[in-house]
Amino acid sequence: MTNVMSLSTHTTASGFLLPSIHSAPPFFTQQPNPGTQAIAIEQWTRLILTYARHRRLFVLRVEDAETTGNDWDEILRNERINRKLLPPYLSHILSAMVAKDLAVYEPPRQTRSVLLYWRSPDEWAETLHSWATATGQLNTILTFYDITDPPIESELTGIPIPLLRKAISILGKTGRAQMIGVADGEGVRLFAGGR
Amino acid sequence: MGGNQSLPKITPQDRAILDLKLQRDKLRQYQKKIQVVLDREHAIAKAHLAAGQKDRAIIALRRRKYQQSLLLKTDGQLEHLEQLVSTIEFSLVEVSVLHGLKQGNEVLREIHKEMNLEAVEKLLEETSEAREYQKEIGEMLSNNLTLDEEDAVQAELRELQAQQESQIPQAIDMPDAPTTELIAKEPAAEAESAERTKVPVAA
């Protein structure tokens, strides 16, 4: 790892600053030394989450390491040093992230696709609540589509429904959200509520 | 959950509003889908034309036209739905405003009940009586000073005056006016002081 210092950072086409470790060939292969491996996984976790936040990506699949031309090309491959992350290693990283509650398998009962928590469900709950407050939509019945696809783009635009559900159920525990179900679908009503 | 009790009941109105909004969402999604179809038919027509198949291009364009008319129709329906939703929500606001007014009115009436005229009159009377009483006490106290005490007050006043007078003469202790001639020295002194002020400016 001594030569890492001489490696340089790189700014991708989407404007993301890759850390210098991304230019180190060993970073892309699993390390036999468990200590080194743990550090590498930590670095990968941070890289994946910061990149996901930068591009507002919510889902990472093992498949993304198997194909090219997807949202994750910029970090799962490095053409400049001719390296790419192999699917088994990605799968390993994903399981480590799930173990640390930084991601969750979605849909559950499979291990090929995760929902990334670059914001925890608790933080999403607060985001949802402050958005509804700021846009004056408290005490109004909202459909999920109102939240994920608002006429004015918000922080919640494109949020996956499973994550939205988690955020709503967290708000529900403090009496700040109420689910309403009808034959055709579901809606939610948010309240100011005390903490 | 204790929190659940504070949540309002879900009324049939709420369900109706949600139903309407879900319908509106469906229309919006449908519009998105049609837009995709429109773009695709356009591409197909272009491809056919490039391949020299004019008939097929025309068919694709006809299909496109039909989809376009659907899009227009859904626009109208969407407008209706959105209007209906807005009207309902506005009516709900009106209802809650009315409710608020009613409650305000009730509270005002309660307050007025407690504040009837007789009570106010009685209260004011009592207050003025108390003020009279206070005044009497004050007068009695101020007249109650003995002659000795009055003398002591006067003595204190004299002492204060004496202190003030003893401070004033020190302030008026002025130096004597000069008696010698000064004119000859003055220009030199002025030049010197002018130079002194110049130096810091230059630095």
Side-chain angles (χ1 to χ4, degrees):
Chain A
M1 292 299 238
T2 44
N3 64 338
V4 166
M5 295 308 289
S6 63
L7 298 170
S8 61
T9 56
H10 178 76
T11 306
T12 67
S14 74
F16 184 73
L17 183 72
L18 288 170
S20 53
I21 197 168
H22 196 260
S23 308
F27 189 50
F28 287 82
T29 42
Q30 265 170 293
Q31 298 300 312
N33 179 325
T36 318
Q37 176 69 96
I39 291 167
I41 285 185
E42 215 170 274
Q43 296 275 359
W44 268 113
T45 303
R46 195 180 309 155
L47 179 60
I48 287 170
L49 289 180
T50 49
Y51 186 72
R53 179 180 281 125
H54 170 72
R55 296 263 325 261
R56 294 184 57 79
L57 299 174
F58 289 95
V59 175
L60 178 55
R61 301 179 189 85
V62 177
E63 195 195 335
D64 291 325
E66 293 165 351
T67 58
T68 52
N70 60 59
D71 287 333
W72 293 93
D73 279 355
E74 286 183 352
I75 64 162
L76 296 186
R77 355 188 109 241
N78 189 342
E79 305 291 351
R80 286 164 291 121
I81 56 167
N82 199 23
R83 284 289 184 283
K84 62 176 184 185
L85 193 67
L86 292 172
Y89 192 13
L90 179 58
S91 172
H92 187 65
I93 294 168
L94 294 187
S95 78
M97 289 177 77
V98 169
K100 279 190 200 158
D101 268 338
L102 294 169
V104 66
Y105 287 123
E106 181 59 47
R109 279 184 274 286
Q110 51 84 43
T111 55
R112 302 244 326 146
S113 165
V114 298
L115 190 60
L116 297 167
Y117 285 168
W118 41 270
R119 230 179 233 168
S120 69
D122 284 302
E123 288 167 332
W124 277 115
E126 291 310 317
T127 308
L128 172 61
H129 195 264
S130 43
W131 168 77
T133 311
T135 52
Q137 303 199 78
L138 292 178
N139 304 312
T140 315
I141 294 168
L142 297 167
T143 61
F144 286 177
Y145 191 75
D146 277 331
I147 298 169
T148 61
D149 244 304
I152 303 162
E153 202 169 298
S154 80
E155 284 188 83
L156 295 139
T157 299
I159 184 176
I161 300 295
L163 189 51
L164 181 59
R165 264 184 215 284
K166 281 190 185 72
I168 291 171
S169 84
I170 288 167
L171 289 178
K173 279 179 196 151
T174 48
R176 292 189 290 166
Q178 177 184 43
M179 287 289 298
I180 302 166
V182 289
D184 247 2
E186 291 166 293
V188 62
R189 183 157 51 175
L190 299 173
F191 307 99
R195 299 230 62 204
Chain B
M1 274 279 132
N4 275 350
Q5 287 172 340
S6 62
L7 293 179
K9 277 243 171 70
I10 297 168
T11 60
Q13 291 169 352
D14 293 340
R15 287 181 208 284
I17 291 174
L18 180 59
D19 255 331
L20 279 175
K21 286 193 171 177
L22 287 168
Q23 293 304 322
R24 181 203 59 191
D25 289 353
K26 274 187 191 158
L27 269 180
R28 281 194 194 149
Q29 275 154 342
Y30 182 65
Q31 284 194 324
K32 254 189 202 171
K33 193 187 100 187
I34 289 184
Q35 196 58 53
V36 171
V37 171
L38 282 180
D39 295 345
R40 205 187 57 207
E41 295 290 359
H42 188 73
I44 289 174
K46 233 178 174 175
H48 281 315
L49 209 58
Q53 293 168 310
K54 209 173 166 189
D55 301 353
R56 294 211 173 180
I58 286 179
I59 291 171
L61 284 179
R62 272 199 198 123
R63 272 204 302 256
R64 185 164 188 269
K65 201 79 213 158
Y66 174 66
Q67 298 284 353
Q68 246 170 352
S69 72
L70 280 185
L71 193 60
L72 274 179
K73 266 185 216 161
T74 50
D75 267 338
Q77 287 171 341
L78 197 58
E79 202 178 319
H80 274 142
L81 265 179
E82 276 177 351
Q83 258 177 18
L84 194 57
V85 170
S86 306
T87 312
I88 291 176
E89 283 187 336
F90 186 66
S91 310
L92 282 179
V93 171
E94 281 181 324
V95 166
S96 75
V97 168
L98 193 68
H99 185 71
L101 284 177
K102 217 188 260 176
Q103 271 191 329
N105 217 1
E106 208 105 303
V107 170
L108 209 56
R109 202 179 301 149
E110 287 288 315
I111 294 172
H112 281 162
K113 223 182 266 174
E114 276 178 34
M115 253 184 41
N116 57 34
L117 283 177
E118 270 175 50
V120 175
E121 236 167 66
K122 201 176 157 200
L123 193 69
L124 284 178
E125 223 167 85
E126 275 172 18
T127 314
S128 71
E129 265 172 33
R131 227 183 292 143
E132 278 304 304
Y133 186 66
Q134 180 63 40
K135 210 169 142 193
E136 265 173 50
I137 290 175
E139 274 168 17
M140 274 162 81
L141 278 179
S142 60
N143 292 340
N144 248 7
L145 289 177
T146 59
L147 283 178
D148 284 350
E149 281 165 332
E150 192 61 41
D151 279 348
V153 170
Q154 292 297 334
E156 212 175 335
L157 181 67
R158 268 198 299 281
E159 200 181 314
L160 279 176
Q161 278 174 335
Q163 268 177 20
Q164 265 183 352
E165 275 165 24
S166 68
Q167 277 170 3
I168 295 165
Q170 283 176 359
I172 316 176
D173 198 10
M174 294 289 241
D176 295 331
T179 49
T180 51
E181 296 259 314
L182 296 168
I183 308 154
K185 264 190 175 178
E186 221 170 334
E190 231 178 50
E192 205 182 341
S193 73
E195 251 176 32
R196 256 184 215 157
T197 49
K198 261 182 204 165
V199 174
V201 174

